[in-house]
Amino acid sequence: MATVIDRVTESRMTPPPANDADDGYRPSADEPFMSLRQQDYFRRKLSAWRDAILLESAGTLSQLQIDSLREADITDRASSETDWSIELRTRDRQRKLIAKIDAALRRLDEGEYGYCEVTGEPISLGRLEARPIATMTVEAQERHERHEKVSRED
């Protein structure tokens, strides 16, 4: 018997790929940093990522409305409720991710995207490719995390 999560996963449409532009373009260090073409690339990447998350959320919502959690056996019901709890926690994390994607799109519109919010230095294209919502360079992020760890230990 498939779990609730399996049924949701099986019933979803495949979201669009969020990592490649239609024309096969990839930003490179050989071109000016955050040129219009790079900005357009990251805007499309962020928008596709956001759309994929929203599509998954819609699938979860519709599955919640379709599936009844009224299993006859109390153990089956507990299992289904646990599965849905995990799924809803995932959706909550993705809701927060959408806010970060929207913030990145705003930074693109304001011309601040791709620059570290701490140092003002350009964030490497590799980092932006891997994590398009990055707001700090790797070095600034490491310093921030070390400081955060020390603060928690106090």
Side-chain angles (χ1 to χ4, degrees), residues 3 11 15 49 58 71 75 79 92 95 102 111 135 137:
T3 66
S11 69
W49 191 12
E71 276 86 0
T75 306
S79 177
D92 188 49
R95 177 186 54 81
D102 288 342
T135 59
T137 61

Side-chain angles (χ1 to χ4, degrees), residues 1-12 56 59-60 63-64 67-69 71 76 78-91 93:
M1 179 174 161
T3 66
V4 174
I5 302 298
D6 292 336
R7 288 192 305 263
V8 170
T9 304
E10 290 168 4
S11 69
R12 282 195 196 120
E56 285 182 33
T60 299
Q63 200 63 41
L64 269 172
D67 276 357
S68 168
L69 290 179
E71 276 86 0
D76 289 342
S79 177
S80 292
E81 287 178 359
T82 300
D83 290 345
W84 279 116
S85 175
I86 292 167
E87 183 73 15
L88 291 173
R89 248 184 292 154
T90 300
R91 294 296 152 239
R93 282 194 302 274

